[in-house]
Amino acid sequence: GDLRSLVGTWNLMPVSSGKGTVLVYHAEIGLDLPLPAFMIHSAIVNSLTTALLSLKQEVVQNGRLNENVRNAR
C-alpha cells in the first residue's frame, strides 16, 4: 500500500488547577508515495479533528473517558 507506517501517541495531562486537561498528540507517518506537503497536512488535520470531536463526545456523554477509549492503542 501507500502507507508505510503510522505511529501516534496521545498524552493527557491534568492542568495544575485540576479544572482541565492538556492533550498532546504526536504522529509519525511514512508514505511510499510522494505527495505535496499541503495534501498530507490537510489529511492529518481532518483526521485529527474527527478524533478530537469523538474524544469530546465521549467525555461529554460519560463525564470521563470510557475504559476502552483509554486503553486503545
Side-chain angles (χ1 to χ4, degrees):
D2 298 330
L3 182 62
R4 187 174 60 248
S5 65
L6 173 59
V7 177
T9 58
W10 297 88
N11 291 309
L12 300 166
M13 299 165 286
V15 175
S16 60
S17 67
K19 295 186 179 194
T21 302
V22 173
L23 182 143
V24 177
Y25 179 67
H26 175 82
E28 293 182 29
I29 302 167
L31 300 172
D32 283 335
L33 143 82
L35 289 174
F38 79 91
M39 289 180 76
I40 295 169
H41 183 264
S42 177
I44 291 169
V45 167
N46 289 338
S47 177
L48 187 55
T49 299
T50 300
L52 290 174
L53 288 172
S54 295
L55 179 65
K56 178 181 178 181
Q57 181 180 3
E58 176 71 28
V59 172
V60 168
Q61 285 179 349
N62 299 311
R64 61 182 176 76
L65 283 179
N66 175 303
E67 191 68 29
N68 294 329
V69 173
R70 271 188 273 158
N71 294 323
R73 297 199 192 262

PDB file of all heavy atoms in Angstrom, residues 29-31 33-47:
ATOM      1  N   ILE A  29       4.223   9.635  10.233  1.00  0.00           N
ATOM      2  CA  ILE A  29       3.579   8.955   9.112  1.00  0.00           C
ATOM      3  C   ILE A  29       4.610   8.734   8.018  1.00  0.00           C
ATOM      4  O   ILE A  29       5.308   9.666   7.612  1.00  0.00           O
ATOM      5  CB  ILE A  29       2.412   9.798   8.568  1.00  0.00           C
ATOM      6  CG1 ILE A  29       1.408  10.058   9.692  1.00  0.00           C
ATOM      7  CG2 ILE A  29       1.756   9.121   7.380  1.00  0.00           C
ATOM      8  CD1 ILE A  29       0.398  11.119   9.370  1.00  0.00           C
ATOM      9  N   GLY A  30       4.716   7.504   7.561  1.00  0.00           N
ATOM     10  CA  GLY A  30       5.617   7.171   6.458  1.00  0.00           C
ATOM     11  C   GLY A  30       4.806   6.776   5.233  1.00  0.00           C
ATOM     12  O   GLY A  30       3.981   5.877   5.302  1.00  0.00           O
ATOM     13  N   LEU A  31       5.009   7.473   4.136  1.00  0.00           N
ATOM     14  CA  LEU A  31       4.285   7.199   2.896  1.00  0.00           C
ATOM     15  C   LEU A  31       5.240   6.686   1.833  1.00  0.00           C
ATOM     16  O   LEU A  31       6.388   7.102   1.762  1.00  0.00           O
ATOM     17  CB  LEU A  31       3.599   8.470   2.382  1.00  0.00           C
ATOM     18  CG  LEU A  31       2.571   9.116   3.302  1.00  0.00           C
ATOM     19  CD1 LEU A  31       2.132  10.451   2.725  1.00  0.00           C
ATOM     20  CD2 LEU A  31       1.385   8.200   3.479  1.00  0.00           C
ATOM     21  N   LEU A  33       4.489   7.145  -1.272  1.00  0.00           N
ATOM     22  CA  LEU A  33       4.084   7.888  -2.440  1.00  0.00           C
ATOM     23  C   LEU A  33       4.366   9.367  -2.212  1.00  0.00           C
ATOM     24  O   LEU A  33       4.034   9.904  -1.168  1.00  0.00           O
ATOM     25  CB  LEU A  33       2.616   7.562  -2.630  1.00  0.00           C
ATOM     26  CG  LEU A  33       1.516   8.392  -3.078  1.00  0.00           C
ATOM     27  CD1 LEU A  33       1.498   8.468  -4.585  1.00  0.00           C
ATOM     28  CD2 LEU A  33       0.245   7.637  -2.680  1.00  0.00           C
ATOM     29  N   PRO A  34       5.022  10.002  -3.164  1.00  0.00           N
ATOM     30  CA  PRO A  34       5.332  11.427  -2.983  1.00  0.00           C
ATOM     31  C   PRO A  34       4.059  12.267  -3.098  1.00  0.00           C
ATOM     32  O   PRO A  34       3.345  12.203  -4.094  1.00  0.00           O
ATOM     33  CB  PRO A  34       6.303  11.738  -4.123  1.00  0.00           C
ATOM     34  CG  PRO A  34       6.022  10.711  -5.161  1.00  0.00           C
ATOM     35  CD  PRO A  34       5.512   9.495  -4.445  1.00  0.00           C
ATOM     36  N   LEU A  35       3.767  12.999  -2.049  1.00  0.00           N
ATOM     37  CA  LEU A  35       2.609  13.887  -2.042  1.00  0.00           C
ATOM     38  C   LEU A  35       3.053  15.274  -1.604  1.00  0.00           C
ATOM     39  O   LEU A  35       3.952  15.408  -0.774  1.00  0.00           O
ATOM     40  CB  LEU A  35       1.543  13.393  -1.057  1.00  0.00           C
ATOM     41  CG  LEU A  35       0.781  12.138  -1.409  1.00  0.00           C
ATOM     42  CD1 LEU A  35      -0.115  11.725  -0.250  1.00  0.00           C
ATOM     43  CD2 LEU A  35      -0.057  12.347  -2.651  1.00  0.00           C
ATOM     44  N   PRO A  36       2.393  16.304  -2.119  1.00  0.00           N
ATOM     45  CA  PRO A  36       2.703  17.659  -1.652  1.00  0.00           C
ATOM     46  C   PRO A  36       2.379  17.798  -0.161  1.00  0.00           C
ATOM     47  O   PRO A  36       1.416  17.196   0.332  1.00  0.00           O
ATOM     48  CB  PRO A  36       1.789  18.551  -2.490  1.00  0.00           C
ATOM     49  CG  PRO A  36       1.342  17.716  -3.644  1.00  0.00           C
ATOM     50  CD  PRO A  36       1.395  16.293  -3.179  1.00  0.00           C
ATOM     51  N   ALA A  37       3.173  18.582   0.521  1.00  0.00           N
ATOM     52  CA  ALA A  37       3.005  18.770   1.970  1.00  0.00           C
ATOM     53  C   ALA A  37       1.604  19.244   2.325  1.00  0.00           C
ATOM     54  O   ALA A  37       1.039  18.815   3.329  1.00  0.00           O
ATOM     55  CB  ALA A  37       4.053  19.734   2.500  1.00  0.00           C
ATOM     56  N   PHE A  38       0.999  20.108   1.491  1.00  0.00           N
ATOM     57  CA  PHE A  38      -0.327  20.624   1.824  1.00  0.00           C
ATOM     58  C   PHE A  38      -1.377  19.509   1.837  1.00  0.00           C
ATOM     59  O   PHE A  38      -2.323  19.554   2.619  1.00  0.00           O
ATOM     60  CB  PHE A  38      -0.745  21.769   0.884  1.00  0.00           C
ATOM     61  CG  PHE A  38      -1.243  21.322  -0.467  1.00  0.00           C
ATOM     62  CD1 PHE A  38      -2.585  21.071  -0.680  1.00  0.00           C
ATOM     63  CD2 PHE A  38      -0.361  21.166  -1.529  1.00  0.00           C
ATOM     64  CE1 PHE A  38      -3.047  20.662  -1.921  1.00  0.00           C
ATOM     65  CE2 PHE A  38      -0.807  20.765  -2.775  1.00  0.00           C
ATOM     66  CZ  PHE A  38      -2.162  20.510  -2.973  1.00  0.00           C
ATOM     67  N   MET A  39      -1.214  18.502   0.998  1.00  0.00           N
ATOM     68  CA  MET A  39      -2.165  17.388   0.968  1.00  0.00           C
ATOM     69  C   MET A  39      -2.016  16.521   2.221  1.00  0.00           C
ATOM     70  O   MET A  39      -3.005  16.088   2.813  1.00  0.00           O
ATOM     71  CB  MET A  39      -1.964  16.536  -0.281  1.00  0.00           C
ATOM     72  CG  MET A  39      -2.400  17.221  -1.554  1.00  0.00           C
ATOM     73  SD  MET A  39      -2.154  16.176  -2.996  1.00  0.00           S
ATOM     74  CE  MET A  39      -3.524  15.047  -2.809  1.00  0.00           C
ATOM     75  N   ILE A  40      -0.785  16.278   2.625  1.00  0.00           N
ATOM     76  CA  ILE A  40      -0.532  15.498   3.838  1.00  0.00           C
ATOM     77  C   ILE A  40      -1.076  16.249   5.047  1.00  0.00           C
ATOM     78  O   ILE A  40      -1.770  15.687   5.892  1.00  0.00           O
ATOM     79  CB  ILE A  40       0.973  15.205   3.989  1.00  0.00           C
ATOM     80  CG1 ILE A  40       1.448  14.313   2.842  1.00  0.00           C
ATOM     81  CG2 ILE A  40       1.272  14.571   5.344  1.00  0.00           C
ATOM     82  CD1 ILE A  40       2.944  14.178   2.743  1.00  0.00           C
ATOM     83  N   HIS A  41      -0.782  17.536   5.125  1.00  0.00           N
ATOM     84  CA  HIS A  41      -1.244  18.369   6.232  1.00  0.00           C
ATOM     85  C   HIS A  41      -2.770  18.360   6.315  1.00  0.00           C
ATOM     86  O   HIS A  41      -3.354  18.204   7.393  1.00  0.00           O
ATOM     87  CB  HIS A  41      -0.719  19.795   6.073  1.00  0.00           C
ATOM     88  CG  HIS A  41      -1.098  20.697   7.197  1.00  0.00           C
ATOM     89  ND1 HIS A  41      -2.197  21.524   7.136  1.00  0.00           N
ATOM     90  CD2 HIS A  41      -0.553  20.883   8.418  1.00  0.00           C
ATOM     91  CE1 HIS A  41      -2.309  22.198   8.263  1.00  0.00           C
ATOM     92  NE2 HIS A  41      -1.325  21.823   9.060  1.00  0.00           N
ATOM     93  N   SER A  42      -3.436  18.514   5.183  1.00  0.00           N
ATOM     94  CA  SER A  42      -4.896  18.529   5.148  1.00  0.00           C
ATOM     95  C   SER A  42      -5.482  17.211   5.655  1.00  0.00           C
ATOM     96  O   SER A  42      -6.435  17.202   6.436  1.00  0.00           O
ATOM     97  CB  SER A  42      -5.379  18.805   3.725  1.00  0.00           C
ATOM     98  OG  SER A  42      -6.779  18.761   3.664  1.00  0.00           O
ATOM     99  N   ALA A  43      -4.912  16.100   5.229  1.00  0.00           N
ATOM    100  CA  ALA A  43      -5.391  14.788   5.672  1.00  0.00           C
ATOM    101  C   ALA A  43      -5.201  14.615   7.171  1.00  0.00           C
ATOM    102  O   ALA A  43      -6.083  14.086   7.867  1.00  0.00           O
ATOM    103  CB  ALA A  43      -4.670  13.681   4.915  1.00  0.00           C
ATOM    104  N   ILE A  44      -4.075  15.069   7.692  1.00  0.00           N
ATOM    105  CA  ILE A  44      -3.797  14.952   9.127  1.00  0.00           C
ATOM    106  C   ILE A  44      -4.769  15.818   9.926  1.00  0.00           C
ATOM    107  O   ILE A  44      -5.338  15.380  10.920  1.00  0.00           O
ATOM    108  CB  ILE A  44      -2.334  15.329   9.436  1.00  0.00           C
ATOM    109  CG1 ILE A  44      -1.395  14.275   8.864  1.00  0.00           C
ATOM    110  CG2 ILE A  44      -2.114  15.499  10.934  1.00  0.00           C
ATOM    111  CD1 ILE A  44       0.057  14.671   8.882  1.00  0.00           C
ATOM    112  N   VAL A  45      -4.977  17.047   9.478  1.00  0.00           N
ATOM    113  CA  VAL A  45      -5.891  17.950  10.192  1.00  0.00           C
ATOM    114  C   VAL A  45      -7.305  17.380  10.212  1.00  0.00           C
ATOM    115  O   VAL A  45      -7.959  17.371  11.254  1.00  0.00           O
ATOM    116  CB  VAL A  45      -5.868  19.362   9.556  1.00  0.00           C
ATOM    117  CG1 VAL A  45      -7.013  20.218  10.067  1.00  0.00           C
ATOM    118  CG2 VAL A  45      -4.532  20.040   9.832  1.00  0.00           C
ATOM    119  N   ASN A  46      -7.767  16.867   9.082  1.00  0.00           N
ATOM    120  CA  ASN A  46      -9.117  16.295   9.026  1.00  0.00           C
ATOM    121  C   ASN A  46      -9.241  15.091   9.943  1.00  0.00           C
ATOM    122  O   ASN A  46     -10.226  14.945  10.673  1.00  0.00           O
ATOM    123  CB  ASN A  46      -9.483  15.911   7.597  1.00  0.00           C
ATOM    124  CG  ASN A  46      -9.713  17.119   6.719  1.00  0.00           C
ATOM    125  OD1 ASN A  46     -10.002  18.204   7.200  1.00  0.00           O
ATOM    126  ND2 ASN A  46      -9.559  16.942   5.426  1.00  0.00           N
ATOM    127  N   SER A  47      -8.252  14.217   9.925  1.00  0.00           N
ATOM    128  CA  SER A  47      -8.276  13.023  10.770  1.00  0.00           C
ATOM    129  C   SER A  47      -8.218  13.394  12.248  1.00  0.00           C
ATOM    130  O   SER A  47      -8.953  12.840  13.073  1.00  0.00           O
ATOM    131  CB  SER A  47      -7.099  12.127  10.399  1.00  0.00           C
ATOM    132  OG  SER A  47      -7.046  11.014  11.240  1.00  0.00           O
TER     133      SER A  47
END
